Amino acid sequence: MPGISKIQAGKIMSMEIRFVAEYYDPKTGEVIETRILRRDEIQKPETIRELGYLHEEQIDILQSIQDFKIHYESQLINSEASCPECGKKTSLIGKRQSNFHAVFTDHKVSIQRRRCRCNWKSPDTVEKIYGSSLHPDLLEKQVLQGAEHSYRQASNILNAKSKKERSINNDDRIRRNIAEVANIIENERRKPYKIVKQNEASKQLVAVIDGGHVKSNKKIGQSFEAMITSVFDPNNIVKVDKQHNEIIKKTSVGSGLSDNQETIKQLSLNACRAEGAHPLVTELTCITDGAKNCWSIANALKPCCKKLINVLDWFHISKRFTIVLNRVDNDMKIRLEKVKWFLWHGNVKNALERLSEIQADIHEGKALSEVQSIYD
């Protein structure tokens, strides 16, 4: 167009944008392949939806870029001509298309197959070569989403981000990946922690041990027991207001495995060591609800401390008194209330002496059993 500048011509003529990928030698500058990944006409956007690329179009661009790079990367897989077992020259036996799943896209990787006269054959899938067909970034997203949502919800969220249904994101796959990662983490957590240096150890620690039953999603009406241990240094308790304190640092562990408490005991030991427990320095106070399973865990912590003190928490002490007080006469109630008062004020010696006196004065078997339950 004579007399029209390039800028004016651009306003009149239809212009395009083009994404071009090149495979080239950086040393010589020689371009081996040029591929147009996408081309789009540039037009005035009438709505905000037309501004830039849609979600699905962005995924398509990413798919094209990934495919181009993977095409040339795959040529380097199994490119070694010598057998790794006998060192002799290998022969080619064709190629195999293998699945590879990136964060948002799925791909086919063409893998060269090789064999040797010694019967060695090269691994011919992405999974055999790298241990998985999932990119670690996708695995991470699956585990994080599956931990925060139901498996089906996690599947829907991941597919929405890819703008399509992907079989790799099905809820069963997410469940299995979470279980696999959980096993790896659990095995790492069960490894014994190193004991801190004696001059860096905590002089006092508190361990709170509790348990409860959680409903099973496999069998209706059944449940399994979960145990939790929290360990902290009393120096990490800060005052929030007149009525409340806050633990600003602690280590908490838990397990619902039915393995005779092996896991929760090891995790509890690790929690103590993580908080600075040392067998020659630390005085450890364990607070529990008095159940045998809690005492068992508490007693398993003896190797990590100089002195172990087991304490029944006040809530369950008070609860036990309430049950017994509702079953005895008024005279006995007054005497038991005094025992409770001694305990509340930390006078354990007088409390036990009063309980012994009460037991000696009781002749009825049922009442004696009730008072004995407090003493125990």
Side-chain angles (χ1 to χ4, degrees), residues 55 59 103-105 157-164 166 169:
H55 186 171
I59 297 295
V103 176
F104 301 112
T105 52
I157 291 170
L158 292 168
N159 285 332
K161 290 181 178 180
S162 295
K163 208 60 180 179
K164 64 179 178 181
R166 300 173 65 192
N169 284 334

Side-chain angles (χ1 to χ4, degrees), residues 57-106:
E57 292 173 329
Q58 294 176 47
I59 297 295
D60 288 341
I61 293 171
L62 183 58
Q63 177 87 38
S64 300
I65 295 172
Q66 289 269 55
D67 283 338
F68 187 77
K69 186 182 182 187
I70 289 171
H71 171 71
Y72 286 102
E73 286 179 328
S74 64
Q75 295 178 18
L76 301 176
I77 299 175
N78 289 342
S79 59
E80 299 81 3
S82 299
C83 175
E85 292 188 1
C86 70
K88 294 181 180 180
K89 187 177 180 180
T90 60
S91 58
L92 305 179
I93 53 173
K95 294 184 177 181
R96 179 173 181 176
Q97 299 296 312
S98 178
N99 292 322
F100 168 60
H101 307 284
V103 176
F104 301 112
T105 52
D106 301 305

Side-chain angles (χ1 to χ4, degrees), residues 98-151:
S98 178
N99 292 322
F100 168 60
H101 307 284
V103 176
F104 301 112
T105 52
D106 301 305
H107 307 270
K108 290 290 185 180
V109 181
S110 181
I111 298 177
Q112 178 64 61
R113 303 171 65 198
R114 291 179 176 272
R115 68 180 175 188
C116 180
R117 291 182 179 180
C118 71
N119 292 325
W120 172 85
K121 288 185 180 180
S122 64
D124 54 6
T125 66
V126 171
E127 187 167 4
K128 289 178 181 178
I129 295 170
Y130 301 108
S132 174
S133 62
L134 276 75
H135 192 280
D137 288 347
L138 176 58
L139 178 61
E140 179 184 11
K141 288 184 178 298
Q142 287 185 348
V143 172
L144 289 175
Q145 292 293 341
E148 295 176 356
H149 307 277
S150 69
Y151 300 140

Side-chain angles (χ1 to χ4, degrees), residues 229-293:
T229 301
S230 293
V231 184
F232 61 92
D233 189 318
N235 292 320
N236 289 322
I237 299 177
V238 297
K239 195 173 186 64
V240 177
D241 52 44
K242 292 182 178 180
Q243 304 296 328
H244 301 90
N245 294 328
E246 180 182 1
I247 303 171
I248 58 174
K249 181 181 178 296
K250 65 180 178 180
T251 300
S252 297
V253 295
S255 175
L257 296 177
S258 179
D259 59 356
N260 295 319
Q261 297 189 328
E262 287 184 14
T263 296
I264 187 60
K265 286 179 179 179
Q266 183 60 60
L267 293 179
S268 298
L269 276 169
N270 287 347
C272 290
R273 288 169 180 160
E275 288 295 320
H278 191 284
L280 300 178
V281 177
T282 307
E283 180 182 283
L284 177 63
T285 301
C286 290
I287 303 175
T288 75
D289 63 5
K292 291 182 179 179
N293 54 359

Side-chain angles (χ1 to χ4, degrees), residues 264-357:
I264 187 60
K265 286 179 179 179
Q266 183 60 60
L267 293 179
S268 298
L269 276 169
N270 287 347
C272 290
R273 288 169 180 160
E275 288 295 320
H278 191 284
L280 300 178
V281 177
T282 307
E283 180 182 283
L284 177 63
T285 301
C286 290
I287 303 175
T288 75
D289 63 5
K292 291 182 179 179
N293 54 359
C294 293
W295 290 132
S296 176
I297 297 170
N299 291 327
L301 302 180
K302 290 179 180 179
C304 74
C305 60
K306 180 180 179 180
K307 183 178 181 181
L308 177 66
I309 302 173
N310 288 328
V311 176
L312 179 63
D313 67 77
W314 180 253
F315 172 82
H316 287 87
I317 292 175
S318 180
K319 184 178 179 181
R320 184 71 249 173
F321 269 97
T322 300
I323 293 172
V324 176
L325 287 170
N326 290 331
R327 296 174 179 174
V328 297
D329 57 36
N330 289 334
D331 179 61
M332 188 65 68
K333 284 181 181 180
I334 295 173
R335 298 177 69 182
L336 287 174
E337 287 286 3
K338 191 62 178 178
V339 173
K340 185 178 177 182
W341 185 90
F342 278 129
L343 286 175
W344 174 250
H345 289 84
N347 197 335
V348 179
K349 182 180 178 181
N350 281 351
L352 294 178
E353 288 177 353
R354 290 294 182 96
L355 271 177
S356 296
E357 292 172 0

